[in-house]
Amino acid sequence: MDILKKVPVREQDAKVRAKNFEEVCLGYNLEEAMEEAKRCLNCKNAKCIKGCPVSIDIPAFIQEVAAGNIEEAAKIIAESSCLPAVCGRVCPQESQCEGVCIRGIKGEPVSIGKLERFVADWSREHNIVPEKPEKTNGIKVAVIGSGPSGLACAGDLAKKGYEVTIFEALHEAGGVLVYGIPEFRLPKETVVKTEIDNVIKLGVKIETNVIIGKSITIDELFEEGFKAVFIGSGAGLPKFMGIPGENANGVFSANEYLTRNNLMKAFETDSDTPIYRGKKVAVVGGGNVAMDAARTALRLGAEVHIVYRRSQDELPARVEEVHHAIQEGVIFDLLTNPVEILVSEDGWVKGMKCVKMGLGEPDASGRRRPMEIPGSEFEMELDAVIMSLGTSPNPLISSTTEGLEVNKWKCIVADEEFGKTSKEGVFAGGDAVTGAATVILAMGAGRAGAKGIDEYLSKK
Ligand SMILES: Cc1cc2nc3c(=O)[nH]c(=O)nc-3n(C[C@H](O)[C@H](O)[C@H](O)COP(=O)(O)OP(=O)(O)OC[C@H]3O[C@@H](n4cnc5c(N)ncnc54)[C@H](O)[C@@H]3O)c2cc1C
């Protein structure tokens, strides 16, 4: 065993998985997990805990894994996270816990994410479920949205004895975990459903098909006896470039493309709502969402190009996702920016006009500013384009809730520590507050909101 290197994790072969929707990463078995756990230095001043937005006691759970006490490890993780099988799969560990791991100074950091995933999967396979609190305090709290922020908030409040109801607009709970992130990265029936069921087992009720702002407003929730409300409604409104031809047939937002595949199973040949399968598809953007859309289009049989205006170093997607996309055969057209979608006479995409870009000085985001290279226009022949340029919060809730302050991007204004908004009794967190971010940050915000609500209601 080379102590400087992570124990390699088994994966489906790239050529095979590029043609199926089954999970790419196969995870560690007990032996591999124990071997990897022994690489942890069990630092006294554990930087990894500070690197984790929900402060999991990482060295403590890893020591239990090293000793083969997986149930104990699961209990330690459960104190801070209700979605460990999800986070072990999708968290950007390289910029969080693993990014500050002392083992990583000389060699590779401990594979914290894969160990978390192992513990969570082991718990599911061994039917370990959270204990429901013995009795409730009879105080009703409403949570809007069943994504990671809403689930984390609801779970923490239920543990404290509150009677929590989550109101979810869609017919299925889970937010982006079910409609955004594809099956090959995050299996729905096993992983996501089990972790949502664990939140329900704490006593949380989930009402689907309820759109707050349409079916019922926040003020009406208070009239119905809810004493506090947490808004975790995410950022589901897609952005477009505003270039000519963008409303042609065959141009999708990544959100629509992924939702139709994940939630409505459009990839299945007998689906009621099949999706248009292009032969040559461009995905514009470089984040996790772009990688997911590209790898989905690839699995539907297309030649896929990622078109991104900066270079590989600036790609915002997780390193693992970029690596997997390259392995599977996605083509990266970097330093390239679309200026027009070319449309056929019958209104369908037939190509895209692009320009080549250079990189200038760093901009406000700290990344080098992309600049057009004059005279570098060229055309790509295509039959579908997927725009993956980010999302913003839907204004439905803010426009139907008097006294709820939003900023210029329509994000709800809420304090970081407790999720407190400008409206009494209303708390918020996750993408609805920050704009599109990450699962673990949304969970952290949900937990902060639960703390804020508990403090507010205790004082009342
Ligand atoms: C394709 C894709 C891939 C991603 N990959 C990663 C990744 O690899 N790693 C990572 O950390 N993050 C990733 N993210 C980001 C991450 O998923 C989000 O940051 C996170 O889900 C935000 O959680 P949330 O609870 O704030 O919102 P969401 O997950 O968006 O959940 C919000 C929920 O609120 C519901 N809702 C909205 N409006 C209303 C209303 N009016 N009434 C009732 N319900 C409402 C929505 O239907 C939804 O279910 C990805 C995002 C996408 C889209």
Side-chain angles (χ1 to χ4, degrees):
M1 172 184 173
D2 181 352
I3 199 81
L4 296 182
K5 289 220 158 109
K6 290 181 177 182
V7 172
V9 70
R10 287 162 294 115
E11 288 175 348
Q12 262 200 80
D13 179 76
K15 281 205 184 85
V16 176
R17 71 179 192 240
K19 294 192 173 65
N20 69 47
F21 279 84
E22 277 147 45
E23 194 172 10
V24 168
C25 177
L26 304 173
Y28 285 147
N29 59 27
L30 177 62
E31 203 186 350
E32 291 160 341
M34 286 174 71
E35 192 178 333
E36 178 62 20
K38 286 178 187 145
R39 295 183 62 237
C40 174
L41 297 168
N42 195 13
C43 306
K44 273 221 168 65
N45 175 19
K47 290 194 169 178
C48 52
I49 303 180
K50 294 190 190 104
C52 170
V54 296
S55 308
I56 294 176
D57 191 344
I58 293 167
F61 100 73
I62 291 184
Q63 293 319 299
E64 296 296 350
V65 176
N69 302 327
I70 313 304
E71 197 167 340
E72 277 311 307
K75 279 187 195 150
I76 295 169
I77 297 176
E79 283 164 20
S80 313
S81 171
C82 62
L83 301 172
V86 170
C87 292
R89 284 168 167 84
V90 305
C91 267
Q93 287 98 6
E94 68 269 17
S95 57
Q96 296 177 344
C97 51
E98 294 184 21
V100 290
C101 171
I102 300 296
R103 176 58 85 194
I105 295 173
K106 223 180 178 192
E108 291 178 354
V110 176
S111 200
I112 300 168
K114 298 287 183 291
L115 289 174
E116 182 186 23
R117 168 195 163 125
F118 167 75
V119 172
D121 287 356
W122 185 96
S123 298
R124 185 182 64 248
E125 284 152 17
H126 291 77
N127 233 351
I128 312 281
V129 291
E131 276 172 38
K132 191 175 169 179
E134 271 176 23
K135 54 180 183 164
T136 67
N137 60 16
I139 304 173
K140 281 172 44 171
V141 177
V143 169
I144 305 172
S146 61
S149 65
L151 291 169
C153 179
D156 274 13
L157 287 171
K159 282 187 199 160
K160 289 185 199 298
Y162 291 94
E163 288 184 10
V164 188
T165 307
I166 298 182
F167 295 99
E168 168 55 50
L170 294 174
H171 61 278
E172 238 176 83
V176 167
L177 309 180
V178 291
Y179 73 74
I181 304 180
E183 184 73 23
F184 54 82
R185 245 178 6 105
L186 189 61
K188 311 298 163 218
E189 270 308 302
T190 46
V191 175
V192 180
K193 197 165 176 303
T194 306
E195 296 207 324
I196 294 174
D197 283 348
N198 285 345
V199 174
I200 294 172
K201 282 178 186 139
L202 291 170
V204 172
K205 286 191 209 127
I206 303 185
E207 284 194 27
T208 52
N209 297 313
V210 183
I211 306 174
I212 303 298
K214 240 185 187 159
S215 324
I216 184 169
T217 64
I218 287 186
D219 289 315
E220 286 165 347
L221 286 174
F222 282 113
E223 284 164 23
E224 294 224 339
F226 290 97
K227 300 295 180 208
V229 175
F230 176 81
I231 309 173
S233 50
L237 204 65
K239 292 182 186 156
F240 286 91
M241 292 189 81
I243 56 175
E246 221 174 352
N247 54 7
N249 293 325
V251 179
F252 297 88
S253 72
N255 259 47
E256 180 196 346
Y257 191 78
L258 289 167
T259 304
R260 289 179 59 176
N261 274 292
N262 294 329
L263 205 58
M264 291 140 87
K265 305 282 175 249
F267 61 84
E268 288 172 356
T269 38
D270 57 351
S271 165
D272 287 341
T273 52
I275 200 157
Y276 173 62
R277 295 172 184 233
K279 286 198 181 69
K280 193 169 169 191
V281 176
V283 178
V284 182
N288 285 322
V289 184
M291 298 306 136
D292 284 343
R295 296 170 69 200
T296 297
L298 191 89
R299 282 161 171 77
L300 290 173
E303 173 187 312
V304 184
H305 293 245
I306 288 269
V307 175
Y308 179 60
R309 61 190 184 141
R310 291 180 157 105
S311 73
Q312 180 150 356
D313 289 345
E314 288 86 21
L315 278 168
R318 291 176 70 218
V319 172
E320 184 175 320
E321 305 317 323
V322 176
H323 171 68
H324 281 155
I326 294 171
Q327 274 186 334
E328 288 166 11
V330 172
I331 301 157
F332 282 68
D333 295 332
L334 300 166
L335 293 166
T336 303
N337 203 30
V339 288
E340 183 181 348
I341 308 286
L342 305 169
V343 188
S344 67
E345 275 176 14
D346 55 357
W348 284 84
V349 171
K350 64 171 186 178
M352 193 160 75
K353 192 187 277 180
C354 298
V355 283
K356 296 302 281 176
M357 308 295 281
L359 290 178
E361 293 300 309
D363 62 15
S365 73
R367 295 177 302 171
R368 292 177 64 196
R369 188 188 300 276
M371 295 182 311
E372 270 187 39
I373 299 176
S376 65
E377 284 87 0
F378 71 101
E379 288 181 6
M380 300 172 78
E381 238 179 73
L382 298 165
D383 46 22
V385 176
I386 304 171
M387 290 294 179
S388 179
L389 308 156
T391 50
S392 59
N394 188 312
L396 179 65
I397 291 180
S398 53
S399 64
T400 53
T401 312
E402 215 172 300
L404 187 67
E405 196 191 333
V406 291
N407 65 18
K408 63 178 174 181
W409 298 285
K410 302 281 178 238
C411 294
I412 297 167
V413 177
D415 84 315
E416 221 173 283
E417 204 181 346
F418 297 112
K420 204 162 168 271
T421 71
S422 56
K423 190 172 169 79
E424 195 188 332
V426 179
F427 297 75
D431 285 6
V433 169
T434 55
T438 63
V439 170
I440 195 78
L441 285 173
M443 282 183 65
R447 300 199 74 202
K451 219 167 38 169
I453 289 175
D454 182 43
E455 204 185 79
Y456 166 73
L457 293 175
S458 308
K459 276 189 194 145
K460 267 194 135 188

PDB file of all heavy atoms in Angstrom, residues 21 260-261 264-275 277 300:
ATOM      1  N   PHE A  21     -27.165   4.415 -18.112  1.00  0.00           N
ATOM      2  CA  PHE A  21     -27.458   5.431 -17.097  1.00  0.00           C
ATOM      3  C   PHE A  21     -27.166   4.918 -15.686  1.00  0.00           C
ATOM      4  O   PHE A  21     -27.588   5.524 -14.712  1.00  0.00           O
ATOM      5  CB  PHE A  21     -28.923   5.905 -17.223  1.00  0.00           C
ATOM      6  CG  PHE A  21     -29.105   6.936 -18.310  1.00  0.00           C
ATOM      7  CD1 PHE A  21     -29.276   6.556 -19.631  1.00  0.00           C
ATOM      8  CD2 PHE A  21     -29.059   8.295 -18.022  1.00  0.00           C
ATOM      9  CE1 PHE A  21     -29.410   7.501 -20.633  1.00  0.00           C
ATOM     10  CE2 PHE A  21     -29.193   9.256 -19.023  1.00  0.00           C
ATOM     11  CZ  PHE A  21     -29.366   8.856 -20.328  1.00  0.00           C
ATOM     12  N   ARG A 260     -36.445  16.696 -17.882  1.00  0.00           N
ATOM     13  CA  ARG A 260     -37.210  15.756 -18.714  1.00  0.00           C
ATOM     14  C   ARG A 260     -36.586  14.369 -18.685  1.00  0.00           C
ATOM     15  O   ARG A 260     -37.276  13.361 -18.760  1.00  0.00           O
ATOM     16  CB  ARG A 260     -37.326  16.293 -20.133  1.00  0.00           C
ATOM     17  CG  ARG A 260     -38.273  17.487 -20.157  1.00  0.00           C
ATOM     18  CD  ARG A 260     -38.423  18.087 -21.511  1.00  0.00           C
ATOM     19  NE  ARG A 260     -38.936  17.117 -22.471  1.00  0.00           N
ATOM     20  CZ  ARG A 260     -39.237  17.421 -23.710  1.00  0.00           C
ATOM     21  NH1 ARG A 260     -39.123  18.662 -24.141  1.00  0.00           N
ATOM     22  NH2 ARG A 260     -39.677  16.507 -24.540  1.00  0.00           N
ATOM     23  N   ASN A 261     -35.270  14.322 -18.575  1.00  0.00           N
ATOM     24  CA  ASN A 261     -34.618  13.011 -18.517  1.00  0.00           C
ATOM     25  C   ASN A 261     -34.737  12.364 -17.143  1.00  0.00           C
ATOM     26  O   ASN A 261     -35.059  11.192 -17.032  1.00  0.00           O
ATOM     27  CB  ASN A 261     -33.138  13.136 -18.909  1.00  0.00           C
ATOM     28  CG  ASN A 261     -32.983  13.055 -20.405  1.00  0.00           C
ATOM     29  OD1 ASN A 261     -33.216  12.014 -21.011  1.00  0.00           O
ATOM     30  ND2 ASN A 261     -32.663  14.171 -21.012  1.00  0.00           N
ATOM     31  N   MET A 264     -38.933  12.789 -15.781  1.00  0.00           N
ATOM     32  CA  MET A 264     -39.955  12.218 -16.668  1.00  0.00           C
ATOM     33  C   MET A 264     -39.410  11.039 -17.473  1.00  0.00           C
ATOM     34  O   MET A 264     -40.076  10.536 -18.356  1.00  0.00           O
ATOM     35  CB  MET A 264     -40.494  13.322 -17.591  1.00  0.00           C
ATOM     36  CG  MET A 264     -41.304  14.349 -16.807  1.00  0.00           C
ATOM     37  SD  MET A 264     -40.994  16.006 -17.380  1.00  0.00           S
ATOM     38  CE  MET A 264     -42.195  16.116 -18.682  1.00  0.00           C
ATOM     39  N   LYS A 265     -38.181  10.621 -17.138  1.00  0.00           N
ATOM     40  CA  LYS A 265     -37.558   9.439 -17.744  1.00  0.00           C
ATOM     41  C   LYS A 265     -37.625   9.467 -19.287  1.00  0.00           C
ATOM     42  O   LYS A 265     -37.917   8.458 -19.935  1.00  0.00           O
ATOM     43  CB  LYS A 265     -38.198   8.145 -17.229  1.00  0.00           C
ATOM     44  CG  LYS A 265     -38.193   8.013 -15.714  1.00  0.00           C
ATOM     45  CD  LYS A 265     -36.835   7.584 -15.190  1.00  0.00           C
ATOM     46  CE  LYS A 265     -36.744   7.564 -13.698  1.00  0.00           C
ATOM     47  NZ  LYS A 265     -35.935   8.524 -13.043  1.00  0.00           N
ATOM     48  N   ALA A 266     -37.347  10.660 -19.842  1.00  0.00           N
ATOM     49  CA  ALA A 266     -37.440  10.812 -21.290  1.00  0.00           C
ATOM     50  C   ALA A 266     -36.417   9.959 -22.032  1.00  0.00           C
ATOM     51  O   ALA A 266     -36.540   9.721 -23.228  1.00  0.00           O
ATOM     52  CB  ALA A 266     -37.257  12.285 -21.663  1.00  0.00           C
ATOM     53  N   PHE A 267     -35.386   9.480 -21.300  1.00  0.00           N
ATOM     54  CA  PHE A 267     -34.352   8.681 -21.978  1.00  0.00           C
ATOM     55  C   PHE A 267     -34.826   7.268 -22.279  1.00  0.00           C
ATOM     56  O   PHE A 267     -34.250   6.552 -23.088  1.00  0.00           O
ATOM     57  CB  PHE A 267     -33.052   8.665 -21.160  1.00  0.00           C
ATOM     58  CG  PHE A 267     -33.180   8.066 -19.787  1.00  0.00           C
ATOM     59  CD1 PHE A 267     -33.103   6.696 -19.610  1.00  0.00           C
ATOM     60  CD2 PHE A 267     -33.366   8.876 -18.671  1.00  0.00           C
ATOM     61  CE1 PHE A 267     -33.212   6.141 -18.340  1.00  0.00           C
ATOM     62  CE2 PHE A 267     -33.478   8.322 -17.405  1.00  0.00           C
ATOM     63  CZ  PHE A 267     -33.404   6.952 -17.237  1.00  0.00           C
ATOM     64  N   GLU A 268     -35.922   6.840 -21.602  1.00  0.00           N
ATOM     65  CA  GLU A 268     -36.410   5.474 -21.846  1.00  0.00           C
ATOM     66  C   GLU A 268     -37.129   5.434 -23.184  1.00  0.00           C
ATOM     67  O   GLU A 268     -37.869   6.363 -23.526  1.00  0.00           O
ATOM     68  CB  GLU A 268     -37.349   5.039 -20.703  1.00  0.00           C
ATOM     69  CG  GLU A 268     -36.565   4.773 -19.429  1.00  0.00           C
ATOM     70  CD  GLU A 268     -37.445   4.523 -18.211  1.00  0.00           C
ATOM     71  OE1 GLU A 268     -38.681   4.618 -18.323  1.00  0.00           O
ATOM     72  OE2 GLU A 268     -36.863   4.246 -17.149  1.00  0.00           O
ATOM     73  N   THR A 269     -36.920   4.359 -23.935  1.00  0.00           N
ATOM     74  CA  THR A 269     -37.446   4.321 -25.300  1.00  0.00           C
ATOM     75  C   THR A 269     -38.976   4.368 -25.334  1.00  0.00           C
ATOM     76  O   THR A 269     -39.566   4.863 -26.288  1.00  0.00           O
ATOM     77  CB  THR A 269     -36.948   3.062 -26.043  1.00  0.00           C
ATOM     78  OG1 THR A 269     -36.942   1.994 -25.118  1.00  0.00           O
ATOM     79  CG2 THR A 269     -35.565   3.263 -26.630  1.00  0.00           C
ATOM     80  N   ASP A 270     -39.642   3.850 -24.260  1.00  0.00           N
ATOM     81  CA  ASP A 270     -41.110   3.853 -24.268  1.00  0.00           C
ATOM     82  C   ASP A 270     -41.683   5.014 -23.441  1.00  0.00           C
ATOM     83  O   ASP A 270     -42.830   4.978 -23.019  1.00  0.00           O
ATOM     84  CB  ASP A 270     -41.647   2.515 -23.748  1.00  0.00           C
ATOM     85  CG  ASP A 270     -41.122   2.219 -22.342  1.00  0.00           C
ATOM     86  OD1 ASP A 270     -40.231   2.972 -21.878  1.00  0.00           O
ATOM     87  OD2 ASP A 270     -41.599   1.257 -21.715  1.00  0.00           O
ATOM     88  N   SER A 271     -40.873   6.073 -23.222  1.00  0.00           N
ATOM     89  CA  SER A 271     -41.346   7.192 -22.406  1.00  0.00           C
ATOM     90  C   SER A 271     -42.521   7.910 -23.089  1.00  0.00           C
ATOM     91  O   SER A 271     -42.553   8.047 -24.314  1.00  0.00           O
ATOM     92  CB  SER A 271     -40.188   8.182 -22.215  1.00  0.00           C
ATOM     93  OG  SER A 271     -40.671   9.391 -21.745  1.00  0.00           O
ATOM     94  N   ASP A 272     -43.485   8.392 -22.256  1.00  0.00           N
ATOM     95  CA  ASP A 272     -44.630   9.149 -22.792  1.00  0.00           C
ATOM     96  C   ASP A 272     -44.179  10.503 -23.318  1.00  0.00           C
ATOM     97  O   ASP A 272     -44.835  11.116 -24.152  1.00  0.00           O
ATOM     98  CB  ASP A 272     -45.651   9.416 -21.661  1.00  0.00           C
ATOM     99  CG  ASP A 272     -46.392   8.161 -21.285  1.00  0.00           C
ATOM    100  OD1 ASP A 272     -46.392   7.219 -22.101  1.00  0.00           O
ATOM    101  OD2 ASP A 272     -46.952   8.116 -20.173  1.00  0.00           O
ATOM    102  N   THR A 273     -43.064  11.009 -22.762  1.00  0.00           N
ATOM    103  CA  THR A 273     -42.582  12.339 -23.161  1.00  0.00           C
ATOM    104  C   THR A 273     -41.126  12.227 -23.628  1.00  0.00           C
ATOM    105  O   THR A 273     -40.213  12.693 -22.940  1.00  0.00           O
ATOM    106  CB  THR A 273     -42.656  13.312 -21.963  1.00  0.00           C
ATOM    107  OG1 THR A 273     -41.980  12.696 -20.855  1.00  0.00           O
ATOM    108  CG2 THR A 273     -44.062  13.660 -21.577  1.00  0.00           C
ATOM    109  N   PRO A 274     -40.905  11.564 -24.782  1.00  0.00           N
ATOM    110  CA  PRO A 274     -39.520  11.370 -25.238  1.00  0.00           C
ATOM    111  C   PRO A 274     -38.851  12.714 -25.542  1.00  0.00           C
ATOM    112  O   PRO A 274     -39.535  13.694 -25.832  1.00  0.00           O
ATOM    113  CB  PRO A 274     -39.682  10.541 -26.510  1.00  0.00           C
ATOM    114  CG  PRO A 274     -41.076  10.754 -26.951  1.00  0.00           C
ATOM    115  CD  PRO A 274     -41.883  11.072 -25.741  1.00  0.00           C
ATOM    116  N   ILE A 275     -37.538  12.732 -25.446  1.00  0.00           N
ATOM    117  CA  ILE A 275     -36.827  13.981 -25.716  1.00  0.00           C
ATOM    118  C   ILE A 275     -36.159  13.905 -27.088  1.00  0.00           C
ATOM    119  O   ILE A 275     -35.828  12.811 -27.559  1.00  0.00           O
ATOM    120  CB  ILE A 275     -35.796  14.267 -24.600  1.00  0.00           C
ATOM    121  CG1 ILE A 275     -35.420  15.748 -24.608  1.00  0.00           C
ATOM    122  CG2 ILE A 275     -34.555  13.385 -24.701  1.00  0.00           C
ATOM    123  CD1 ILE A 275     -34.890  16.250 -23.296  1.00  0.00           C
ATOM    124  N   ARG A 277     -33.445  13.705 -29.571  1.00  0.00           N
ATOM    125  CA  ARG A 277     -32.057  13.241 -29.446  1.00  0.00           C
ATOM    126  C   ARG A 277     -31.256  13.789 -30.610  1.00  0.00           C
ATOM    127  O   ARG A 277     -31.392  13.308 -31.728  1.00  0.00           O
ATOM    128  CB  ARG A 277     -31.985  11.722 -29.511  1.00  0.00           C
ATOM    129  CG  ARG A 277     -32.666  11.040 -28.359  1.00  0.00           C
ATOM    130  CD  ARG A 277     -32.723   9.537 -28.600  1.00  0.00           C
ATOM    131  NE  ARG A 277     -33.470   8.942 -27.500  1.00  0.00           N
ATOM    132  CZ  ARG A 277     -33.018   7.943 -26.753  1.00  0.00           C
ATOM    133  NH1 ARG A 277     -31.855   7.394 -26.981  1.00  0.00           N
ATOM    134  NH2 ARG A 277     -33.753   7.458 -25.773  1.00  0.00           N
ATOM    135  N   LEU A 300     -27.441   9.466 -24.726  1.00  0.00           N
ATOM    136  CA  LEU A 300     -28.571   9.359 -25.652  1.00  0.00           C
ATOM    137  C   LEU A 300     -28.073   9.215 -27.098  1.00  0.00           C
ATOM    138  O   LEU A 300     -28.841   9.298 -28.033  1.00  0.00           O
ATOM    139  CB  LEU A 300     -29.479  10.591 -25.511  1.00  0.00           C
ATOM    140  CG  LEU A 300     -30.262  10.667 -24.191  1.00  0.00           C
ATOM    141  CD1 LEU A 300     -31.000  11.985 -24.065  1.00  0.00           C
ATOM    142  CD2 LEU A 300     -31.244   9.504 -24.074  1.00  0.00           C
TER     143      LEU A 300
END
